Amino acid sequence: MSKKSTSGLTIKPLYTADDLDDIDHLGSMPGDNPYTRGPRATMYTGRPWTIRQYAGFSTAEESNAFYRKALEAGQKGLSIAFDLPTHRGYDSDHERVVGDVGMAGVAIDSVEDMKILFEGIPLGEMSVSMTMNGAVIPILASFIVAGEEQGVARKQLSGTIQNDVLKEFMVRNTYIYPPEPSMRIVADIIEYTAKEMPKFNSISISGYHMQEAGSTLVQELAYTLADGREYVRAALAKGMNVDDFAPRLSFFFCMGMDFFAEAAKLRAARLLWTRIMAEFNPQKEQSSMLRTHCQTSGVSLQEQDPYNNIIRTAYEAMSAVLGGTQSLHTNSFDEAHALPTEFSARIARNTQLILQHETGITDVIDPLAGSYYVESLTKQLVDEAWLLMEEVEAHGGMTKAVEEGLPKLRIEEASAQKQAAIDRGETVIVGVNKYRPKHPEELDILEIDNHAVREAQVARLNRMRKTRDENRCQSALDALTSVAKTGEGNILEIAVEAARARASVGEISFALEQAWGRHKAEPKMVSGVYGSSFEDDEHFADVRSQINALEKQLGRPPKILVAKIGQDGHDRGAKVIATAFEDLGYDVVVGPLFQTPEEAAELAVSKNVDVVGISSHAAGHKTLAPMLLKELANLNAADKIVICGGVIPVQDHEFLKEAGVAAIYGPGTNILESALSLVTLLKEQMRGRNL
């Protein structure tokens, strides 16, 4: 009997040769169109995939030291993680980023930081991948100038810039400008790099963050390739020839725990991309090849029984290799607690080295080819993803679909369904909802001194501003605003001049903001999806009845504000909590993204909520939670219950509770249990008020 897999695919208990009858891609060879078996004829028998570990934290000096050690230990390329203020186009001295500087990546405010980041690392020889979308213009401009001042011409620089803004509006939310001007940035970067940087990949079209936000594999595949189609159209609209830029397009996928389906997904992606590119009539073979980087899943990492994450990552890495990835990042086992330590990062890196050197996996090209099961999965993924892409086309393409909120809604529905399956125990996660250890494991964690990092960044910014030619800098920034307003000229070309004049990341971003404004998303949530998964469930009914009883005591439903404070745009956890709590009977207010503690406190008071729930995934909790509590006290609202959820190390729990946080819910927390524990907290609050 067929059933649905954890990825939402229909699978059978037995596959035979009959399942291959209607599959027309079986005759292809590796390196041949439609590249199902790999984009290169020899694949890993000629050269293994690139080990490209994503890393960055604190200051440029700290990250540089980390990169140099990793390269000495066998890493072959760099993948840069920037902090959230950098992503959002703010300098470290901006009032909105107090708790975020250096916390979830490296702080880069200018060319000066970029030069330190790559000190002793020859940019003419090293491939550099940069995960950057919102502030992609100032970051790429600063990288180009840092290369020049290291003696490396633009044409010698190799690597990849993510530059995929459409998925930011869907899931990750580190956007700055509205969709239309953001698409112009994408096209200008493609144009500039095609002319000036022939070794550089102008875009990495990313499905990774979709799966991290809860998408199904079919959604990840369909929406990623639909984004790619939209970017090709944007470049063609600038008058470019498809063969001048298409060979440098690259992709980025997440590798989760559905082992065979994940490998099949990469095979399906290559086939689908050839189908899409045929619409544009390319003449070069390379224009139709999908090349991809992969990263093991962050959301599959669990806080509970954390050493299990080493095993999960190894399976996910092998799946990526069997699917034919070109480069790979393996997550560290402690990332559900905090940033990776040097110890955990070494294990993650060695996972790939062992795969390359000890398993024999590089000896054979496409070992899964011809598998009844894998080839059937590949076809199913192709067919179902194509239907979703056709739906996007019916809405006028991906930019229009994103503006309407279609992909975001579909992904949030899938995310709520996934969480319900975990909370019900239908999807087993070892150490979380089954086989839980009796005693939690406490890990050594990497802790960043946010205040010290920010002070160092601000001091360097001030030094740079005092020594630069202010007239030259302002003239370059004015030119940038003009180019953005008029639509004439290439934005990246002008931004390189501004970076040379030592304009900061924040100043370049603001020059564009003056022309286009800063995008603000309206907070929305799906309803009924989580609750509908618990029909006839006694535990769900019991929790709901207790919330209903509390409603009678209060004379209204208990009310909670789900708040995202700081520059962290990862809102999967917040959205799932919001929709689940609403289905259980809470009155839920979803705050807008990127609030300051002061703004969140004011919203909590104006909406008269009983509870403020902070969702934290970017290590800013030790700064931002106490600030929120202080702001509530200033508004005579210190009696409101404040709780925290997300990636919060056990070591930080006592600090937060001493500051006044009532409860902390880490990754893997059962939503029904957290909803019930909140009822207890509210009852205790009511008793305290009545004393």
Side-chain angles (χ1 to χ4, degrees):
M1 182 181 293
S2 297
K3 69 172 187 176
K4 288 286 186 182
S5 72
T6 55
S7 302
L9 297 169
T10 303
I11 57 170
K12 304 187 299 182
L14 177 66
Y15 287 80
T16 68
D18 293 340
D19 292 292
L20 304 184
D21 286 346
D22 60 346
I23 297 176
D24 56 12
H25 67 254
L26 292 176
S28 67
M29 293 292 286
D32 290 346
N33 192 303
Y35 311 109
T36 315
R37 301 194 62 189
R40 295 201 315 269
T42 57
M43 288 303 289
Y44 307 140
T45 62
R47 178 166 59 88
W49 66 93
T50 300
I51 299 172
R52 191 186 296 280
Q53 292 296 93
Y54 179 60
F57 57 92
S58 184
T59 62
E61 291 92 340
E62 292 278 344
S63 293
N64 173 264
F66 186 90
Y67 296 155
R68 290 166 76 165
K69 285 182 182 177
L71 293 171
E72 289 170 7
Q75 189 171 312
K76 298 299 183 185
L78 293 178
S79 183
I80 313 301
F82 298 95
D83 74 353
L84 290 167
T86 305
H87 274 287
R88 295 267 295 143
Y90 292 117
D91 288 332
S92 296
D93 58 358
H94 198 283
E95 61 185 8
R96 300 193 71 86
V97 303
V98 173
D100 294 309
V101 177
M103 298 304 287
V106 60
I108 297 293
D109 291 319
S110 72
V111 171
E112 296 302 320
D113 289 329
M114 195 71 82
K115 287 169 68 177
I116 294 167
L117 188 67
F118 296 113
E119 188 175 344
I121 298 171
L123 292 177
E125 302 170 20
M126 181 59 58
S127 173
V128 177
S129 173
M130 292 179 285
T131 300
M132 179 53 63
N133 302 283
V136 63
I137 286 290
I139 286 298
L140 186 50
S142 297
F143 175 72
I144 290 167
V145 175
E148 287 176 1
E149 296 186 9
Q150 201 185 81
V152 181
R154 291 191 295 276
K155 65 182 180 181
Q156 293 176 278
L157 295 172
S158 65
T160 304
I161 189 82
Q162 193 161 100
N163 192 29
D164 174 10
V165 79
L166 286 173
K167 67 97 174 43
E168 298 296 332
F169 294 107
M170 279 187 252
V171 290
R172 190 164 175 256
N173 300 311
T174 56
Y175 44 70
I176 300 177
Y177 315 109
E180 287 289 347
S182 296
M183 285 296 291
R184 182 186 164 194
I185 286 174
V186 172
D188 276 14
I189 289 173
I190 292 172
E191 179 185 53
Y192 182 93
T193 53
K195 291 177 180 177
E196 303 287 338
M197 303 169 72
K199 294 182 177 181
F200 204 81
N201 297 322
S202 57
I203 192 167
S204 175
I205 304 153
S206 174
Y208 181 86
H209 305 95
M210 298 179 200
Q211 190 178 146
E212 292 292 273
S215 77
T216 65
L217 263 63
V218 170
Q219 289 170 340
E220 179 192 5
L221 187 57
Y223 295 148
T224 304
L225 298 181
D227 283 351
R229 178 191 258 158
E230 195 81 342
Y231 295 136
V232 171
R233 287 171 175 161
L236 293 175
K238 288 188 70 69
M240 297 182 68
N241 182 295
V242 67
D243 289 314
D244 288 342
F245 66 88
R248 302 309 303 178
L249 302 178
S250 65
F251 289 79
F252 175 27
F253 287 103
C254 182
M255 303 308 294
M257 283 298 290
D258 196 344
F259 185 83
F260 291 105
E262 291 286 5
K265 179 182 74 183
L266 300 188
R267 305 170 93 252
R270 291 191 290 270
L271 189 155
L272 283 165
W273 189 240
T274 62
R275 187 185 294 181
I276 289 169
M277 288 306 295
E279 300 168 10
F280 305 110
N281 194 32
Q283 300 304 301
K284 287 183 181 177
E285 190 178 330
Q286 294 90 338
S287 295
S288 299
M289 288 182 186
L290 182 146
R291 297 165 302 114
T292 190
H293 172 71
C294 289
Q295 180 173 337
T296 59
S297 171
V299 79
S300 74
L301 301 175
Q302 303 300 325
E303 181 184 58
Q304 298 88 345
D305 215 357
Y307 291 109
N308 289 346
N309 294 331
I310 298 172
I311 303 160
R312 293 185 178 103
T313 294
Y315 285 135
E316 290 166 351
M318 182 173 279
S319 184
V321 171
L322 290 173
T325 190
Q326 278 59 70
S327 63
L328 179 62
H329 165 92
T330 32
N331 288 332
S332 299
F333 72 86
D334 51 0
E335 289 185 53
H337 293 250
L339 288 168
T341 62
E342 202 167 310
F343 170 71
S344 66
R346 181 169 61 86
I347 292 173
R349 184 173 57 251
N350 286 351
T351 300
Q352 294 198 54
L353 291 171
I354 290 167
L355 267 176
Q356 284 190 358
H357 295 288
E358 297 187 29
T359 64
I361 207 165
T362 60
D363 295 340
V364 177
I365 303 165
D366 192 19
L368 296 182
S371 158
Y372 304 147
Y373 179 38
V374 172
E375 299 293 6
S376 297
L377 281 176
T378 302
K379 184 178 189 303
Q380 185 181 166
L381 284 161
V382 166
D383 293 345
E384 293 187 19
W386 189 256
L387 290 176
L388 271 189
M389 283 187 276
E390 290 294 280
E391 180 185 44
V392 168
E393 288 296 284
H395 282 257
M398 203 50 157
T399 304
K400 290 285 192 297
V402 164
E403 288 173 341
E404 293 172 16
L406 172 71
K408 190 175 186 70
L409 175 66
R410 294 273 189 270
I411 291 170
E412 287 178 1
E413 288 172 344
S415 178
Q417 289 169 345
K418 280 186 178 182
Q419 187 61 47
I422 293 167
D423 289 347
R424 281 176 64 94
E426 292 171 0
T427 298
V428 173
I429 301 178
V430 174
V432 177
N433 61 0
K434 202 168 186 180
Y435 312 112
R436 288 195 69 152
K438 291 181 180 178
H439 305 290
E441 192 85 38
E442 189 167 312
L443 302 175
D444 291 331
I445 63 167
L446 177 64
E447 188 161 3
I448 306 298
D449 186 340
N450 165 241
H451 299 289
V453 173
R454 189 165 188 257
E455 284 179 6
Q457 289 300 121
V458 171
R460 186 147 57 224
L461 267 170
N462 290 337
R463 285 196 301 272
M464 182 189 74
R465 287 174 179 148
K466 284 178 182 176
T467 56
R468 72 190 180 188
D469 181 335
E470 198 60 41
N471 289 333
R472 180 189 174 201
C473 180
Q474 193 56 54
S475 176
L477 290 170
D478 290 343
L480 194 56
T481 301
S482 176
V483 167
K485 283 181 177 177
T486 63
E488 298 175 4
N490 186 286
I491 293 166
L492 179 56
E493 183 178 353
I494 306 302
V496 169
E497 293 302 319
R500 281 198 193 105
R502 290 314 190 257
S504 69
V505 167
E507 289 164 342
I508 292 173
S509 297
F510 185 68
L512 297 174
E513 188 179 336
Q514 286 183 296
W516 299 327
R518 186 172 275 264
H519 180 70
K520 291 183 180 179
E522 287 294 319
K524 297 177 183 177
M525 64 178 178
V526 299
S527 295
V529 176
Y530 185 89
S532 65
S533 301
F534 284 88
E535 267 185 44
D536 305 320
D537 185 274
E538 291 182 8
H539 187 35
F540 184 89
D542 176 57
V543 175
R544 181 181 260 171
S545 70
Q546 292 198 47
I547 295 168
N548 289 342
L550 185 61
E551 178 181 349
K552 289 175 183 175
Q553 288 180 267
L554 289 168
R556 57 172 175 75
K559 197 168 188 178
I560 180 171
L561 166 63
V562 178
K564 291 293 296 184
I565 304 176
Q567 297 305 306
D568 174 23
H570 294 88
D571 63 350
R572 174 190 181 169
K575 289 291 183 70
V576 169
I577 288 291
T579 187
F581 272 46
E582 185 178 74
D583 290 352
L584 283 162
Y586 282 93
D587 182 0
V588 180
V589 178
V590 180
L593 288 168
F594 314 123
Q595 285 192 304
T596 64
E598 182 181 9
E599 290 165 346
E602 289 171 353
L603 182 61
V605 170
S606 69
K607 295 293 186 181
N608 193 30
V609 302
D610 304 297
V611 181
V612 182
I614 305 171
S615 173
S616 174
H617 292 269
H621 49 270
K622 287 180 74 173
T623 300
L624 297 171
M627 289 175 69
L628 173 68
L629 287 154
K630 183 180 177 181
E631 294 293 344
L632 287 170
N634 291 341
L635 296 171
N636 297 316
D639 60 334
K640 294 191 185 300
I641 296 170
V642 174
I643 59 175
C644 289
V647 180
I648 300 172
V650 174
Q651 289 92 325
D652 293 349
H653 287 199
E654 186 177 349
F655 171 88
L656 292 173
K657 288 183 176 178
E658 286 179 357
V661 173
I664 300 158
Y665 306 101
T669 299
N670 184 289
I671 288 179
L672 296 183
E673 299 305 323
S674 65
L676 200 54
S677 74
L678 200 51
V679 169
T680 302
L681 288 173
L682 286 163
K683 285 180 177 178
E684 289 174 357
Q685 183 191 60
M686 290 171 65
R687 282 195 294 270
R689 286 174 177 170
N690 293 332
L691 288 175

